[in-house]
């Protein structure tokens, strides 16, 4: 059976212009991703983003603008997630606390995209950084 999901990710920037990257607890690879998750039935895109960010990072966010799209297809071809990456504004970065879903986080510069899983690396390469600040 094939499965298709819609996911929303957040680009959280700090004062140094770096973005938040997280590592999934169950991920054997050292590669990182950006926080967010899958839409639940009945939610709007923005509600999904706000809920997922609170669940995963304890951050209260406000969606600012859609930056780009992303797509992940499992090598077996039976599982796909496609979605959006939003630029978000954060109420208080000091409240950052990871859920059990993630075992670490770090702040990356846009010159460190090679530390991300390929589908997020590819998506963020297309963003015009000068439009973020």
């Amino acid at each position: 059976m094939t499965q298709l999901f819609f996911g929303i990710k957040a680009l959280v920037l700090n004062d140094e212009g770096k973005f938040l990257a997280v590592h999934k607890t169950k991920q054997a690879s050292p590669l990182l991703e950006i926080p967010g998750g899958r839409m639940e039935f009945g939610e709007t895109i923005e509600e999904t983003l706000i809920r997922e960010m609170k669940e995963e990072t304890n951050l209260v966010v406000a969606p600012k603008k859609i930056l780009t799209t992303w797509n992940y297809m499992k090598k077996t071809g039976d599982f796909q997630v496609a979605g959006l990456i939003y630029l978000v504004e954060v109420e208080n970065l000091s409240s950052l606390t990871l859920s059990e879903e993630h075992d670490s986080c770090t702040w990356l510069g846009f010159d460190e995209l090679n530390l991300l899983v390929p589908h997020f690396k590819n998506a963020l390469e297309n963003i015009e950084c000068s439009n973020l600040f």
Side-chain angles (χ1 to χ4, degrees):
M1 179 170 86
T2 57
Q3 294 181 300
L4 174 64
F5 297 98
F6 188 72
I8 312 298
K9 297 289 183 170
L11 191 67
V12 176
L13 299 175
N14 66 14
D15 291 339
E16 299 170 3
K18 293 186 174 193
F19 65 91
L20 181 63
V22 294
H23 184 265
K24 282 196 171 191
T25 304
K26 295 180 182 179
Q27 176 81 316
S29 163
L31 294 176
L32 305 166
E33 59 179 57
I34 52 179
R38 296 183 203 160
M39 179 181 271
E40 293 179 358
F41 185 80
E43 284 183 320
T44 66
I45 292 169
E46 291 81 8
E47 288 169 343
T48 300
L49 180 65
I50 292 165
R51 175 186 54 78
E52 283 287 347
M53 290 302 295
K54 184 66 176 168
E55 288 176 4
E56 290 188 2
T57 66
N58 196 44
L59 294 175
V60 175
V61 301
K64 288 301 172 198
K65 67 178 176 178
I66 297 170
L67 296 174
T68 191
T69 62
W70 61 277
N71 185 66
Y72 168 73
M73 176 73 73
K74 193 172 179 179
K75 290 180 182 173
T76 56
D78 60 348
F79 179 90
Q80 179 179 5
V81 184
L84 301 172
I85 298 175
Y86 263 83
L87 177 64
V88 297
E89 187 174 279
V90 179
E91 192 172 284
N92 180 7
L93 276 180
S94 65
S95 65
L96 175 61
T97 307
L98 296 179
S99 70
E100 293 179 2
E101 188 177 340
H102 298 96
D103 55 20
S104 66
C105 67
T106 190
W107 295 95
L108 298 179
F110 285 89
D111 58 344
E112 300 175 287
L113 296 179
N114 60 320
L115 299 175
L116 296 173
V117 293
H119 49 283
F120 294 125
K121 174 186 179 289
N122 295 340
L124 292 180
E125 283 177 332
N126 297 323
I127 293 175
E128 181 60 49
C129 294
S130 62
N131 293 334
L132 298 178
F133 306 100

